[in-house]
Amino acid sequence: MRDSLLSERMEHLEQARELHQKHPVADAHFDLAAEVYARRMAGERNIVKDRYLRHFRKAGCSIIVSSVFVYTKDLKERGLQTALAQIGALREDLDTVSDEICVIGSGKELDTALEKGKIAVLLSMEGLDPIGTDLHLLRVFYDLGVRGAGLTWSRPNAFGTGCCRADEMEEIPGGLTDLGKEAIRRMEALGMYLDVSHLNNEGFADVLKCAKAPFIASHSNAWEICRNYRNLRDDQIQALAERGGVIGLNANCCIAGAVPGDKSGALLRLCEHVEHLVSMAGVCHVGYGFDLCDGLDAAMAGTKVSPDPGDLLKNHEEAMELTAALLSRGMEEEAVMGIIGGNFLEFFRRVLR
Ligand SMILES: [Zn+2]
């Protein structure tokens, strides 16, 4: 009995590996720019090359969305500078692996990168705080390659109010401001997509009233599976899908509701989120947006490993184990292909001009 279970597991892992190598794989949320910037400021170089490239390749990653994220402590004095410096640092770091990875800004560039077997990096702002209240700066960030943005991180700003942080449990009230609604109109006119992952519930409702284009939740899970305010209610999942958006599965322990270190428990919980999201949104509206943060946390703390590990997947390679778990629980291969990257690829092709 045990032997047959083991061989079944190996079979699904092999099937997952094949899917990851033959079909697009996307991670819709990774704090890469912030980590690269922090490490370069500490003197390190070739960060993507030495720390991430082999995991990206083994996982068959074709699209990585790098957020531009500024810590609250840096916002007031140097928020704009930090955001710009993160973009500069990431681009400089990627120059050392330009034959393997490139920043893309259009559907055409995305397709060219994939044809050449390169990994496409897409830039997205995690909160518009660095632009203060000046919407002209949206165009500046667009010209620097930023193609997506959340109005807020888990904090209030000039555009709206974020939900609570992953490890806090609190409903935070407050809808979008007039400036927040105008920001959505300007982003849509520019061809930038909106990301609602850190927005609170009232803000989400306002987005439904004023957004015309499809929008995503790059790294959020299902509230029904884990009652964390970072997660989406069933009606929100359905509304986002009806608008043509995609939800990225978050692999953070607090947001998924699992314990780091308990691999099989974590995989089970992540599968439950995917299955619930699929049951509400349909198979074409769910993807991966792992939000792996241990690397960034270690870089910020100046330590070798994160002082407070929260990632349920050690690296992108481990995504294949999650994919194998979905297959072993009976998900159709066609649906799994969309979830590992096909659905986000379609979304980005549609919104990137
Ligand atoms: Zn986040």
Side-chain angles (χ1 to χ4, degrees):
M1 182 67 185
R2 249 187 107 175
D3 283 354
S4 73
L5 272 180
L6 189 67
S7 71
E8 206 182 309
R9 244 189 92 183
M10 295 306 290
E11 214 174 281
H12 288 124
L13 197 56
E14 202 39 58
Q15 190 186 358
R17 204 168 278 141
E18 210 177 303
L19 287 179
H20 276 243
Q21 290 307 324
K22 287 192 180 152
H23 300 280
V25 174
D27 179 358
H29 187 88
F30 190 34
D31 287 311
L32 189 59
E35 179 178 346
V36 165
Y37 178 54
R39 292 194 183 281
R40 286 180 72 92
M41 290 299 278
E44 196 177 322
R45 292 293 179 271
N46 303 324
I47 293 131
V48 171
K49 186 180 178 189
D50 294 345
R51 289 180 180 270
Y52 289 109
L53 191 57
R54 72 178 189 284
H55 298 305
F56 289 165
R57 283 295 187 202
K58 281 201 170 158
C61 292
S62 21
I63 307 169
I64 301 282
V65 180
S66 168
S67 63
V68 174
F69 170 70
V70 180
Y71 283 91
T72 306
K73 67 178 173 57
D74 294 324
L75 268 186
K76 210 167 164 205
E77 298 288 319
R78 32 180 265 124
L80 180 59
Q81 184 196 328
T82 305
L84 295 172
Q86 283 184 11
I87 295 171
L90 180 64
R91 283 182 174 276
E92 271 193 43
D93 198 74
L94 292 180
D95 281 346
T96 63
V97 279
S98 58
D99 50 338
E100 301 212 51
I101 311 187
C102 59
V103 177
I104 59 106
S106 69
K108 202 172 163 219
E109 285 173 3
L110 173 61
D111 285 334
T112 306
L114 299 188
E115 276 160 28
K116 290 184 176 167
K118 286 188 183 185
I119 299 163
V121 171
L122 202 56
L123 297 172
S124 176
M125 309 265 294
E126 189 161 19
L128 281 181
D129 314 65
I131 74 167
T133 56
D134 195 339
L135 295 178
H136 293 106
L137 290 170
L138 279 177
R139 171 59 190 262
V140 176
F141 278 101
Y142 181 88
D143 285 348
L144 292 174
V146 174
R147 291 294 179 270
L151 296 177
T152 64
W153 184 65
S154 294
R155 59 195 168 204
N157 65 13
F159 308 99
T161 302
C163 59
C164 65
R165 297 179 59 176
D167 55 353
E168 293 163 357
M169 281 298 284
E170 190 188 352
E171 176 144 27
I172 298 172
L176 298 188
T177 62
D178 288 343
L179 194 68
K181 293 171 190 167
E182 181 60 21
I184 293 176
R185 285 190 279 275
R186 298 275 277 267
M187 283 171 61
E188 289 183 348
L190 279 170
M192 282 170 81
Y193 67 83
L194 178 69
D195 184 347
V196 297
S197 260
H198 279 269
L199 202 55
N200 63 351
N201 290 329
E202 281 181 61
F204 191 106
D206 285 343
V207 166
L208 287 182
K209 281 183 221 144
C210 67
K212 301 267 189 294
F215 58 90
I216 67 169
S218 65
H219 57 305
S220 291
N221 291 340
W223 166 265
E224 276 305 314
I225 304 296
C226 175
R227 304 226 154 184
N228 183 301
Y229 288 94
R230 277 278 286 99
N231 290 335
L232 298 169
R233 316 291 168 115
D234 286 351
D235 58 326
Q236 294 174 328
I237 297 167
Q238 286 167 337
L240 185 149
E242 276 164 22
R243 300 293 188 93
V246 183
I247 301 158
L249 174 81
N250 192 312
N252 169 274
C253 62
C254 302
I255 295 172
V259 182
D262 168 15
K263 174 70 84 58
S264 52
L267 289 178
L268 172 65
R269 185 48 52 87
L270 291 172
C271 285
E272 288 170 349
H273 280 288
V274 171
E275 287 158 4
H276 188 82
L277 292 170
V278 165
S279 75
M280 288 294 130
V283 285
C284 298
H285 301 278
V286 181
Y288 288 159
F290 294 128
D291 195 14
L292 302 182
C293 283
D294 287 349
L296 170 63
D297 291 347
M300 295 306 292
T303 50
K304 227 173 172 153
V305 294
S306 166
D308 184 20
D311 296 343
L312 298 176
L313 304 174
K314 215 165 54 211
N315 51 47
H316 284 82
E317 235 175 293
E318 283 200 356
M320 290 187 291
E321 292 183 44
L322 172 61
T323 302
L326 289 171
L327 290 164
S328 76
R329 286 165 64 87
M331 192 171 276
E332 299 284 342
E333 203 175 85
E334 184 93 9
V336 172
M337 276 157 50
I339 289 164
I340 66 175
N343 295 336
F344 268 119
L345 178 65
E346 273 312 302
F347 176 83
F348 292 136
R349 274 198 183 124
R350 238 179 317 136
V351 297
L352 298 178
R353 293 175 208 148

